[in-house]
Amino acid sequence: MRDTSIINYPANEGTARGYLAQPDGDGPWGAIIVIQEWWGLDKHIMSLAERLAAAGFLALAPDLYHGEVATEPDEARKLAMGLDMPHAVVEMVAAANYLCGRSDVHAIGATGFCMGGSLALALAAATPRVGPVASFYGGRQLPDEQLRQIPGPVLALYGAEDHGIPAEAREHLDRVLTEQNVPHEVIVYPGAGHAFMNDTRAQGYDATAATDGWQQMIRFFKQYLEA
């Protein structure tokens, strides 16, 4: 990984803010938009962007809360409920447009976690500039008409013990993508709960699922984003 920085890019007739992590070398690279959990653009999300950069991808994590970061669930819930979802999608599309305008980027994917897992799918439905999506435990089920706009491919990862996301929701995503002939894979980790990737929060973290989930995501993006 070469360096990291907070950047501003054009969005909504103004600017948006994000955390950019660059790989070593000069590119061109596959770029990945990294979409936050309900906590905000915190150290966990920034560390994931850094790990993706170390794996050879340019990573950009948009700051959808515009500088606010929650540390307690009640605070996070309030921020998530106050998020204007259509506006957030516009900001994520602006991130894709920014990456598309860089000469060192040749393809764009997205990943997201918790709230961001659903938003990553919404982003792919909103712009053809985003191709592969790795969605981690996205709990908000998108309308079918929105899911049908996703070109794919999609990698969706869940914990079997995530009681906030019923099996029916996972099966629904699988069914709609199958009906649309979208290349996709759904992985469910036995014994893992929600937010199993978040190693900053011991309550949900599952080392076995997190290790394999990371490896699956890197395999997926190397398959679909590398030149």
Side-chain angles (χ1 to χ4, degrees):
M1 184 178 65
R2 190 168 66 193
D3 58 26
T4 60
S5 58
I6 296 293
I7 65 164
N8 294 294
Y9 51 89
N12 298 327
E13 300 181 353
T15 59
R17 177 178 178 269
Y19 183 74
L20 185 72
Q22 295 192 206
D24 292 329
D26 299 317
W29 304 296
I32 300 172
I33 298 171
V34 184
I35 306 172
Q36 67 192 51
E37 295 181 310
W38 71 342
W39 308 107
L41 181 56
D42 61 4
K43 291 181 179 179
H44 171 57
I45 296 300
M46 290 189 285
S47 72
L48 291 172
E50 292 164 7
R51 290 175 65 188
L52 286 168
F57 302 100
L58 183 71
L60 173 60
D63 181 4
L64 300 180
Y65 289 165
H66 307 139
E68 292 192 75
V69 176
T71 58
E72 299 298 331
D74 287 346
E75 185 182 2
R77 186 175 296 107
K78 184 180 297 185
L79 287 172
M81 291 179 64
L83 183 66
D84 183 328
M85 290 297 180
H87 185 85
V89 171
V90 170
E91 288 196 3
M92 293 186 298
V93 170
N97 293 341
Y98 161 76
L99 292 170
C100 190
R102 290 180 59 121
S103 61
D104 55 6
V105 169
H106 67 80
I108 304 169
T111 187
F113 304 83
C114 181
M115 176 183 79
S118 299
L119 285 173
L121 294 171
L123 171 59
T127 175
R129 288 181 163 172
V130 172
V133 174
S135 172
F136 285 80
Y137 34 84
R140 178 173 172 262
Q141 186 169 309
L142 302 181
D144 285 8
E145 58 269 24
Q146 198 170 8
L147 289 176
R148 294 189 185 105
Q149 299 301 312
I150 298 172
V154 171
L155 173 65
L157 306 98
Y158 302 94
E161 301 304 316
D162 185 345
H163 302 298
I165 304 177
E168 292 79 10
R170 305 193 301 259
E171 294 162 0
H172 180 80
L173 175 67
D174 183 32
R175 183 172 63 254
V176 174
L177 294 179
T178 298
E179 290 170 354
Q180 296 300 114
N181 295 314
V182 172
H184 68 284
E185 183 177 2
V186 177
I187 298 175
V188 181
Y189 291 105
H194 191 69
F196 60 78
M197 289 288 293
N198 193 336
D199 57 2
T200 68
R201 293 181 177 273
Q203 184 175 4
Y205 179 62
D206 186 296
T208 301
T211 298
D212 189 74
W214 179 263
Q215 293 171 348
Q216 296 287 351
M217 176 170 63
I218 295 301
R219 169 194 60 81
F220 175 75
F221 282 131
K222 284 186 177 293
Q223 179 180 354
Y224 290 108
L225 279 185
E226 289 195 341

